Amino acid sequence: MPETASTPTRSGWIDDLRWAVHASGPVAMGYVPLGMALGALAVSFRHVFYPLAYPTQLLGRPWQKVLGAWQLTDEMYALMAGGTRPQNSRQVLMLSSVTQFWWASGTVLGTAIGNLVPAGFRGLDFAMTGLFIALALNFFLSSAAWRVAGYAAVGIGAALLLPGPFLAWSLSVFTLCCLAEVWVVERRDAGPDDAEGQDDERREAR
């Protein structure tokens, strides 16, 4: 009689898991240290500030939030900060999907024609830097908020003087400068009477 496949049991799954862990031991010896190094270097502190410009309010459904977070990149954030304003969740996800498609397409194209590029060719390593420079210039030209560049300079200067992670300090100081401007503008536009009334309401709430 032909043999029939036995129904997997709990003990069978555990045995298979033990076998997989044992067989992948050599891989773990390379992946774990490499992953630790990547994790130590790639703490993406900058992502904390992404919700300041990313239209999370347009992504109402859970799957939309998960997909939007997965597709969120520095370039997507730069587009949002530079004035791109999606009107609904479909536009947000379409934009993030298309930007991700450009990245994947460039990767595929690179694998296809990479051998045709001379070994000593210079300039490809500057492509990402040039992209961010172009996006930053587009932001400043469209918004005329040149003082933001000053806040960035203050953040960079503070990060060079303070000990610890450069990116964390620079972004934190930059964000504090922007929030301070927002606070000053709101207080100025509110006027002295409105400001006093708001202070009274805060004291009563306490």
Side-chain angles (χ1 to χ4, degrees):
M1 296 179 61
E3 295 182 0
T4 58
S6 59
T7 303
T9 61
R10 182 176 179 83
S11 60
W13 284 106
I14 294 176
D15 291 339
D16 289 343
L17 176 61
R18 289 174 179 170
W19 171 86
V21 171
H22 177 75
S24 64
V27 177
M29 295 177 65
Y31 270 8
V32 171
L34 184 63
M36 292 174 63
L38 176 63
L41 296 175
V43 179
S44 303
F45 182 81
R46 64 186 183 277
H47 292 88
V48 174
F49 301 93
Y50 280 177
L52 296 177
Y54 194 73
T56 55
Q57 71 280 2
L58 296 179
L59 304 178
R61 299 181 179 179
W63 69 268
Q64 293 176 340
K65 295 181 182 295
V66 172
L67 182 59
W70 179 67
Q71 292 181 327
L72 180 59
T73 60
D74 294 344
E75 292 75 20
M76 180 69 176
Y77 173 79
L79 287 176
M80 298 296 177
T84 302
R85 295 291 181 266
Q87 301 301 316
N88 52 56
S89 60
R90 184 168 57 192
Q91 289 186 357
V92 175
L93 297 179
M94 282 292 183
L95 182 60
S96 59
S97 298
V98 172
T99 54
Q100 192 174 50
F101 169 78
W102 296 132
W103 173 258
S105 299
T107 303
V108 173
L109 186 61
T111 59
I113 67 173
N115 293 329
L116 301 179
V117 179
F121 184 80
R122 296 180 179 272
L124 290 178
D125 54 345
F126 187 73
M128 190 62 69
T129 304
L131 170 63
F132 280 110
I133 292 175
L135 291 173
L137 287 176
N138 179 67
F139 166 75
F140 289 123
L141 292 176
S142 61
S143 63
W146 292 101
R147 62 188 179 281
V148 177
Y151 300 156
V154 172
I156 293 173
L160 292 174
L161 297 176
L162 296 171
F166 174 85
L167 188 62
W169 279 120
S170 60
L171 286 178
S172 297
V173 173
F174 171 76
T175 303
L176 288 175
C177 291
C178 293
L179 292 176
E181 178 184 341
V182 172
W183 182 80
V184 170
V185 171
E186 288 183 348
R187 297 279 293 186
R188 182 189 62 193
D189 294 342
D193 295 337
D194 293 339
E196 292 177 0
Q198 292 177 1
D199 293 337
D200 293 339
E201 291 179 358
R202 295 193 187 99
R203 285 192 291 267
E204 291 177 359
R206 294 175 185 174

